[in-house]
Amino acid sequence: MNAVSKIWAAVFVAGLVFSNYYLYSTTNSKLESYKSEPPFLRFDFTDSYLVDRSSQAPYLADGNLDTEWKKLRPSSMKTDFDLELRLSHRLKSGIYVPTNWKGLNIIACSKNTPPLSLKILEREAINVDKESRLPDDTEYSSIVLDFSGSETATIYLKKDAGPVPQKEYPKGIWIWAVQGIFENIGPDSCIKDIQLFE
């Protein structure tokens, strides 16, 4: 009986050590990823998922062309969606180095997709540990996209930025964000993905 208890105790301790190691290793890699690319907000002000569960706000910028977002309901705001895409800089060795984002690809579901009014924003990066407020937006560009000739519309970006020491975050750093609105409601008002590219 004593030997069985010792075996179960050893199995329990080994399981505890393994689960702690697994938790530490997966959490540590996620924290490192967060330092370079924090998670960003994505809002669908139409709540179209209430009509079709396969139409979700995260699908607008998930990098997966098999997912779609459709405007199936009217918006409760002046825009249909608001997406924070990527940080203007990446953390490398204690310094935020500018990322050379060259442009945006907006990929519609088909050439039948109606025109999309799109605002490109530079959203203030806030140090959430120190400030509790809404960020300020600066409009970089506003454009109406026509997908009748091609399902992919490309908008080129040109914005100079310098390196920022880690202790000075968020000075000189912003988040590229977009807001879009379709005039029409229906399955043709459909976006597969919105992607920043280098």
Side-chain angles (χ1 to χ4, degrees):
M1 189 71 169
N2 196 14
V4 173
S5 297
K6 288 181 180 178
I7 291 171
W8 279 112
V11 168
F12 177 75
V13 170
L16 194 59
V17 168
F18 175 76
S19 61
N20 281 332
Y21 172 75
Y22 176 78
L23 183 63
Y24 170 78
S25 62
T26 56
T27 302
N28 200 37
S29 65
K30 287 178 182 173
L31 285 173
E32 289 304 313
S33 172
Y34 178 84
K35 286 179 185 175
S36 60
E37 293 298 338
F40 297 118
L41 299 175
R42 294 179 179 153
F43 295 107
D44 172 5
F45 298 115
T46 70
D47 291 329
S48 291
Y49 71 92
L50 295 172
V51 175
D52 182 352
R53 298 295 290 167
S54 67
S55 180
Q56 303 273 338
Y59 294 165
L60 280 160
D62 65 353
N64 182 354
L65 297 182
D66 292 329
T67 59
E68 301 173 342
W69 172 85
K70 298 177 190 118
K71 181 177 179 177
L72 302 173
R73 300 180 68 216
S75 178
S76 61
M77 305 289 277
K78 292 181 181 177
T79 185
D80 292 338
F81 59 80
D82 184 313
L83 309 175
E84 294 179 351
L85 298 173
R86 300 296 287 271
L87 209 56
S88 60
H89 292 61
R90 287 188 175 129
L91 184 61
K92 293 181 182 175
S93 303
I95 295 176
Y96 283 95
V97 179
T99 303
N100 187 23
W101 298 118
K102 292 186 175 146
L104 276 170
N105 281 329
I106 296 87
I107 304 162
C109 297
S110 73
K111 292 181 182 177
N112 294 328
T113 301
L116 173 69
S117 298
L118 193 75
K119 280 186 187 176
I120 302 168
L121 307 170
E122 297 167 36
R123 181 159 292 158
E124 177 188 16
I126 291 176
N127 187 337
V128 292
D129 294 333
K130 295 181 180 178
E131 301 181 51
S132 179
R133 63 181 176 84
L134 292 173
D136 292 329
D137 289 342
T138 302
E139 188 173 318
Y140 175 83
S141 162
S142 184
I143 189 169
V144 176
L145 302 174
D146 179 9
F147 298 104
S148 60
S150 172
E151 295 169 0
T152 301
T154 301
I155 302 166
Y156 292 98
L157 303 173
K158 177 65 177 150
K159 179 77 178 179
D160 294 325
V164 177
Q166 186 173 1
K167 63 183 178 184
E168 293 184 23
Y169 178 89
K171 177 183 172 186
I173 297 173
W174 67 93
I175 300 168
W176 286 109
V178 293
Q179 293 177 341
I181 187 166
F182 283 113
E183 291 297 320
N184 301 348
I185 297 172
D188 284 339
S189 297
C190 178
I191 297 291
K192 284 191 176 188
D193 213 48
I194 298 176
Q195 305 168 342
L196 267 173
F197 64 87
E198 293 183 70

